Amino acid sequence: MAKKHPETKFLAVEKVVSVAGVLLQKINENELTNVKLLYEDISKEIIEINDKKVDKIYLNFSDPWPKKRHEKRRLTHPNNLKEYRRILKDDGEIIFKTDNTGLFEYSLETFVNSGFELIYVDNEYKLIEDDVMTEFEKQFREQGIAIHRLIARKKD
């Protein structure tokens, strides 16, 4: 997305060192100057972001944490959505993609219950022009796994 939209500033937050390393390599290879990479857990970093500063949040293929006891670790848990609402501008959006049906169904409910309006929901998402395919997405598509995508807008 940073390559496609050089006029936009991106903050990438990743807590898995190998994934962060691959991302840093891509940032350097593509000479991207509009991306800042934080090697950190977003739940620790988000408290540093000022209110209403972010236009969009992309949640791409996050860990589904399928066990009930790990629910609070999900990036779409109500506690996280509350923080996303705080940092999003009034018309801010979250774009969420996953291959995990259970996480997607859980997230549909948590978004609505956390003050977001679902403006786009697709259980068999095909890539659209203004989107880019992640490496995980490419792998899943090659295996015939359906991709789920939603766009949620912050409601007043």
Side-chain angles (χ1 to χ4, degrees):
M1 290 299 279
K3 188 174 182 179
K4 196 170 198 171
H5 297 283
E7 74 287 354
T8 302
K9 294 179 186 177
F10 290 87
L11 174 63
V13 183
E14 179 55 58
K15 72 175 184 176
V16 177
V17 69
S18 60
V19 177
V22 170
L23 181 54
L24 182 59
Q25 182 179 358
K26 288 181 182 249
I27 290 169
N28 290 333
E29 284 174 1
N30 289 288
E31 299 178 355
L32 299 173
T33 59
N34 60 333
V35 180
K36 180 178 180 180
L37 172 61
L38 293 177
Y39 170 55
E40 183 66 76
D41 185 334
I42 188 61
S43 63
K44 295 176 183 172
E45 192 61 39
I46 201 165
I47 59 174
E48 300 295 325
I49 300 173
N50 292 333
D51 295 1
K52 298 184 179 187
K53 287 290 184 185
V54 176
D55 292 307
K56 290 184 182 178
I57 297 172
Y58 294 89
L59 301 175
N60 292 321
F61 300 95
S62 55
D63 191 327
W65 295 104
K67 294 181 181 176
K68 183 68 174 166
R69 70 178 185 261
H70 295 142
E71 180 181 355
K72 288 187 175 184
R73 296 180 184 178
R74 296 176 190 155
L75 293 182
T76 57
H77 184 273
N79 293 344
N80 289 325
L81 294 178
K82 180 180 176 184
E83 284 299 303
Y84 303 154
R85 275 187 52 78
R86 180 185 63 77
I87 67 170
L88 279 170
K89 292 180 180 177
D90 287 336
D91 59 347
E93 295 177 345
I94 298 176
I95 296 91
F96 173 65
K97 288 196 286 189
T98 185
D99 65 305
N100 188 287
T101 301
L103 177 62
F104 192 70
E105 290 171 356
Y106 168 88
S107 300
L108 288 170
E109 184 177 329
T110 59
F111 274 107
V112 170
N113 292 337
S114 298
F116 287 90
E117 171 188 14
L118 299 176
I119 61 171
Y120 176 88
V121 176
D122 192 339
N123 282 301
E124 292 187 22
Y125 173 64
K126 307 295 184 230
L127 198 65
I128 59 172
E129 184 178 326
D130 195 45
D131 195 8
V132 294
M133 192 179 315
T134 70
E135 305 238 346
F136 281 127
E137 184 173 357
K138 183 178 181 193
Q139 291 172 12
F140 296 138
R141 287 184 187 280
E142 287 172 355
Q143 296 171 26
I145 298 171
I147 305 302
H148 310 285
R149 183 176 189 254
L150 68 79
I151 300 174
R153 184 176 292 141
K154 179 180 170 180
K155 290 193 310 188
D156 289 332

